[in-house]
Amino acid sequence: MAEHIAVQDLSKDQAAEELRRLSGLLAQANRQYYAEDAPQISDAEYDCLKRRNTEIETRFPSLKRADSPTEQIGATPSEGFSKVRHEVPMLSLGNAFEDEDVVEFDGRIRKYLGLPSDADLDFTAEPKIDGLSLSLRYENGLLVQAATRGDGAVGENVTANARTIQTIPKKLDSAPDVIEIRGEVYMSHDDFDALNARQGERGGKLFANPRNAAAGSLRQLDAEITRSRPLKFFAYAWGALSEPLGQTQSEAIKRMENMGFCTNPLTELCSSVAEMIDQYRKIEAQRATLGYDIDGVVYKVNDLALQERLGFRSTTPRWAIAHKFPAELAWTTLEDITIQVGRTGALSPVARLKPVTVGGVVVSNATLHNEDYIKGVDSKGNQIRDGKDIRVGDWVQVYRAGDVIPKIADVDLSRRPSDSVPFDFPTICPECGSDAIREEGDAVRRCMGGLVCPAQAVEKLKHFVSRAAFDIDGLGAKQVEQFYTDGWIAEPADIFTLQARYGSGVQQLKNREGWGEKSATKLFQAIDDKRTIPLARLIFALGIRHVGEAASNLIALHYGTWSAFITAMENAREASGPAWDDLISVDGVGQVMAQSLVSTFAQEAERASIDRLVAELSIQDATRPDTQGSPVDGKTVVFTGTLEKMTRAEAKARAERLGAKVSGSVSAKTDILVAGPGAGSKAKKAAELGIEILDEDAWLDLIAGA
Ligand code: IVH
């Protein structure tokens, strides 16, 4: 072999060939060492290859490769994945736990569609695979992009990795020009056991369960690692399409199969709730022998035209539901109860458990919710666990349901230590010593320290930089905690003044452990990039109690601009005034959320902190991207009388999807009144006000094609 030839005797061709080989070998060794924690050659062998490479490069400088090992330190730097915006959002599913929930699901759909209880309504029933969802985009039959779900709107581009999965076709025959196939990436039990055994032998990382292993394997920056992991894919849904896949879910599944995808063989068509539940029981009975993890059964309305009519709530389709399997259980000892203080000051008790395996996952913590829960009563004062309290030292039953944080289901009093005492819930904050107060009607005790409380301040900051909020590259929970501890940042506005406050912030930061000139420069760039922020993200990032991501979006859309929003919050202080009424008219905003919003902006210190932040930002107004071109975008519409082609709920949801605001009463602000037979006073009032009045058909014509 060439390396036995002395460097000075190598021909140019031999040298080029050897450099190519060495670059491959060294890259592989780097990967095994850095990314897989599984080196296959000794350090001495590695050094020897590297030295030989350098010697050849020195003798033939013109042959130095673009990917020369001498230019590389360690593995490919962790750049992260690029982001992909899903053309059609990747949603999640609502859950059913009991059979009655499935009956209600069927009832809800019939009501929404205006179908009588004896009308035909078919559903597919199929296993809910416990893996991670992936969207595969094919253009002209070729796989062009694969993306993880991410937050549903934006996922990670894992195309190179997906290409290494055998059950994902790279090329489709007779497919629509554009098609996005969605499904679940998973790992079988056998493959998981074998992978963990291999990892164990190499002293590598062990995965807790097949889903973690699948996720960890798919999200590798080096696709070659993904290739070495035995991942599989089941197709069950789709996103963007240039032409329909059929008229029913079953036809679409068949079509996916014909295109070369694996679909789940346990999928059945059911024509009643009884048949759906029957199929659920059948799948549940086979669960242990399937060879891969499933955590429930998914029911989907079979008729795709009905799916279209049913549409979506903010994050879940109305036409599908996941019927989950009951939780998994195990017994262990409760070693301690500790208190965590959250972003809103809530004192949350956490059970510290002697580690125990529950359904394949090692559990050492469980939530205890609040002090009543520990005492054995629920929020209404009813007994839970037959009124048994939970004490340190108890023998407790832990359960896990899907992704949900483990909980304590029961306590075995016969094994309670004789010297145990009831848990004494703290009335002062363990983090800052402020009073922790439980208000009338609130199940939670809260620290009154506000931003003085380090735990609250840090949690608020962590929330602020989280993915659905400001999502600043390089500034995660860990960095925020460090910067807070060192007094660099105390509130969100400080993030944006960090660089200025330290002169050239880069100089300061690069000297800190874990930071270099490059990462510091990158961080300040990433912070600057987020000075321009969409209104909805800002509202969510403020971490106001009860105001989640979906509500933030709806609030942003309602007010449009920061100044309109903030003015409304000030005006809404007057209870039952017009600004208050307007706030609670926003879809998804109830009294409790509205109160929380208004009181946040009414607190002086809080408001000043928000103002300091806003001064650093340029806030993008909220617009409705998908309703552009809709003839009813921004219009206020009222429905009255009997609608014959759709139910009221359906009409309202459809109008809102097209950007209209649906109101219950006619006023000067109304743009269109849709009047069915039997319309009375509203039609009269609209006529008096000169408002456009349409019958149902004219309305449907108006929105047709929008
Ligand atoms: S349908 C519009 N079918 O469950 C919703 N999802 O909890 C389309 N999942 O994010 C999803 N098996 O990752 C569907 N047979 C199945 C599924 C399934 C697993 C996952 C999927 C989704 C999550 C929702």
Side-chain angles (χ1 to χ4, degrees):
M1 274 180 55
E3 67 250 42
H4 298 304
I5 306 173
V7 172
Q8 64 270 26
D9 296 336
L10 281 173
S11 72
K12 200 164 176 186
D13 282 351
Q14 282 173 322
E17 171 55 25
E18 200 182 342
L19 284 178
R20 190 190 59 75
R21 210 175 54 82
L22 284 168
S23 134
L25 282 175
L26 285 160
Q28 184 183 28
N30 275 339
R31 205 163 51 232
Q32 287 162 342
Y33 184 88
Y34 288 103
E36 294 170 37
D37 286 333
Q40 304 286 311
I41 58 173
S42 68
D43 290 357
E45 282 169 309
Y46 179 88
D47 290 342
C48 183
L49 292 176
K50 195 132 187 198
R51 206 174 316 118
R52 173 92 180 169
N53 186 79
T54 313
E55 284 169 6
I56 301 175
E57 279 181 356
T58 315
R59 168 126 165 63
F60 298 97
S62 66
L63 294 182
K64 188 165 170 179
R65 300 168 57 87
D67 62 353
S68 163
T70 43
E71 299 300 325
Q72 286 169 21
I73 309 148
T76 324
S78 171
E79 301 272 64
F81 295 97
S82 64
K83 303 258 162 75
V84 173
R85 178 163 288 280
H86 299 298
E87 193 175 321
V88 176
M90 288 183 81
L91 301 174
S92 57
L93 292 167
N95 288 329
F97 297 100
E98 309 292 337
D99 293 356
E100 293 97 80
D101 299 337
V102 183
V103 176
E104 272 174 28
F105 167 67
D106 175 76
R108 261 198 317 273
I109 289 179
R110 287 174 188 275
K111 184 157 175 233
Y112 189 92
L113 296 171
L115 286 179
S117 59
D118 57 355
D120 285 347
L121 182 61
D122 292 342
F123 291 89
T124 55
E126 62 191 287
K128 183 172 188 296
I129 317 297
D130 198 6
L132 70 153
S133 47
L134 186 67
S135 185
L136 303 168
R137 187 176 173 98
Y138 294 83
E139 287 174 7
N140 302 316
L142 293 179
L143 175 63
V144 291
Q145 189 171 73
T148 61
R149 178 170 181 272
D151 61 5
V154 177
E156 286 174 326
N157 187 337
V158 290
T159 313
N161 307 42
R163 284 188 204 282
T164 69
I165 300 177
Q166 277 180 8
T167 45
I168 293 182
K170 315 306 165 277
K171 203 164 157 269
L172 304 180
D173 294 326
S174 66
D177 293 348
V178 175
I179 177 168
E180 286 177 2
I181 294 291
R182 291 176 176 178
E184 206 83 352
V185 173
Y186 68 99
M187 194 179 281
S188 75
H189 292 160
D190 286 349
D191 288 337
F192 167 73
D193 291 341
L195 171 65
N196 257 359
R198 265 196 334 264
Q199 294 286 100
E201 280 164 19
R202 292 171 180 173
K205 174 181 165 175
L206 292 189
F207 294 101
N209 56 42
R211 180 158 54 100
N212 285 356
S217 302
L218 182 67
R219 296 184 65 261
Q220 285 287 339
L221 290 170
D222 180 350
E224 287 312 305
I225 299 178
T226 311
R227 191 189 299 283
S228 71
R229 304 275 173 85
L231 295 173
K232 295 196 171 88
F233 180 77
F234 272 130
Y236 52 64
W238 53 90
L241 284 178
S242 56
E243 62 188 73
L245 291 180
Q247 296 193 339
T248 61
Q249 184 76 29
S250 320
E251 279 174 29
I253 294 172
K254 258 264 123 17
R255 183 85 200 275
M256 293 196 278
E257 245 169 67
N258 292 338
M259 285 190 273
F261 290 97
C262 297
T263 61
N264 197 284
L266 298 176
T267 310
E268 282 292 339
L269 188 64
C270 306
S271 49
S272 67
V273 170
E275 284 182 22
M276 287 149 80
I277 291 173
D278 203 38
Q279 179 63 7
Y280 171 86
R281 302 258 178 271
K282 277 192 193 139
I283 294 177
E284 190 182 21
Q286 296 180 60
R287 185 179 185 187
T289 53
L290 285 179
Y292 51 88
D293 279 347
I294 61 172
D295 57 348
V297 172
V298 183
Y299 309 122
K300 298 173 186 168
V301 169
N302 192 39
D303 184 330
L304 298 183
L306 294 184
Q307 285 193 6
E308 175 81 27
R309 279 178 62 192
L310 285 158
F312 300 88
R313 287 191 225 92
S314 62
T315 57
T316 57
R318 287 194 186 82
W319 45 266
I321 201 162
H323 190 178
K324 303 295 280 287
F325 293 134
E328 292 166 288
L329 300 161
W331 287 90
T332 189
T333 309
L334 174 61
E335 293 184 328
D336 197 7
I337 296 178
T338 57
I339 303 286
Q340 280 177 356
V341 184
R343 157 167 69 86
T344 58
L347 266 52
S348 305
V350 180
R352 305 294 176 189
L353 304 163
K354 180 151 190 263
V356 59
T357 306
V358 190
V361 176
V362 179
V363 168
S364 44
N365 299 319
T367 174
L368 290 169
H369 301 286
N370 54 50
E371 55 189 301
D372 282 351
Y373 186 84
I374 297 177
K375 278 189 195 141
V377 286
D378 71 10
S379 58
K380 298 190 184 85
N382 302 317
Q383 282 193 348
I384 47 175
R385 301 182 301 270
D386 298 327
K388 288 180 259 183
D389 70 334
I390 296 174
R391 300 183 185 185
V392 173
D394 272 344
W395 183 241
V396 292
Q397 190 185 42
V398 185
Y399 75 100
R400 237 186 92 237
D403 245 347
V404 187
I405 310 161
K407 298 190 174 111
I408 305 279
D410 204 2
V411 180
D412 185 348
L413 292 186
S414 71
R415 296 183 63 163
R416 174 168 279 176
S418 56
D419 58 351
S420 83
V421 288
F423 181 68
D424 194 10
F425 204 92
T427 52
I428 59 161
C429 172
E431 296 285 343
C432 70
S434 302
D435 287 341
I437 293 186
R438 187 171 166 191
E439 282 175 4
E440 183 92 15
D442 195 351
V444 172
R445 191 172 282 280
R446 283 173 208 283
C447 159
M448 296 290 119
L451 290 174
V452 168
C453 174
Q456 281 184 63
V458 165
E459 290 307 315
K460 250 185 149 58
L461 283 164
K462 283 189 196 162
H463 171 80
F464 185 83
V465 298
S466 66
R467 189 128 163 226
F470 270 65
D471 189 21
I472 299 172
D473 273 350
L475 192 61
K478 206 173 95 197
Q479 291 81 5
V480 158
E481 203 155 345
Q482 183 69 57
F483 288 172
Y484 180 86
T485 312
D486 295 353
W488 282 33
I489 55 175
E491 60 171 23
D494 297 341
I495 294 172
F496 295 95
T497 58
L498 190 58
Q499 187 169 16
R501 274 184 291 125
Y502 287 91
S504 163
V506 175
Q507 293 312 320
Q508 293 274 338
L509 187 56
K510 78 169 197 207
N511 296 327
R512 296 179 59 130
E513 205 186 318
W515 293 91
E517 173 124 18
K518 209 167 142 197
S519 53
T521 311
K522 240 173 126 177
L523 174 66
F524 289 120
Q525 185 57 50
I527 292 175
D528 267 347
D529 289 348
K530 292 294 161 78
R531 282 184 195 272
T532 304
I533 195 88
L535 178 59
R537 273 190 185 254
L538 171 61
I539 296 174
F540 175 66
L542 296 177
I544 298 166
R545 208 169 135 206
H546 305 297
V547 183
E549 203 183 339
S552 302
N553 274 317
L554 295 167
I555 294 168
L557 280 176
H558 183 77
Y559 293 106
T561 65
W562 173 258
S563 69
F565 168 62
I566 198 89
T567 311
M569 292 307 106
E570 282 160 11
N571 294 340
R573 273 189 229 176
E574 189 189 324
S576 76
W580 171 264
D581 291 347
D582 185 49
L583 174 58
I584 56 173
S585 81
V586 179
D587 224 6
V589 178
Q591 300 274 347
V592 174
M593 196 195 295
Q595 193 51 57
S596 169
L597 275 158
V598 172
S599 61
T600 298
F601 289 96
Q603 283 163 26
E604 259 173 54
E606 192 77 47
R607 174 64 197 265
S609 164
I610 294 172
D611 287 347
R612 283 192 289 276
L613 167 67
V614 167
E616 299 294 328
L617 304 175
S618 153
I619 303 162
Q620 293 169 316
D621 297 347
T623 48
R624 299 168 188 268
D626 6 339
T627 57
Q628 270 168 17
S630 151
V632 296
D633 188 19
K635 301 249 162 95
T636 301
V637 182
V638 176
F639 292 95
T640 187
T642 315
L643 299 179
E644 289 167 327
K645 304 225 162 96
M646 53 194 164
T647 62
R648 219 23 111 64
E650 194 181 351
K652 180 170 188 274
R654 214 163 140 195
E656 284 174 347
R657 241 184 355 252
L658 294 170
K661 184 174 169 205
V662 178
S663 161
S665 59
V666 173
S667 75
K669 282 200 205 146
T670 310
D671 295 297
I672 302 172
L673 179 80
V674 182
S681 60
K682 286 185 194 167
K684 206 169 140 224
K685 187 166 176 197
E688 280 164 17
L689 290 167
I691 289 163
E692 184 178 6
I693 303 178
L694 301 178
D695 66 12
E696 191 176 357
D697 283 336
W699 163 257
L700 289 173
D701 284 348
L702 174 67
I703 61 174

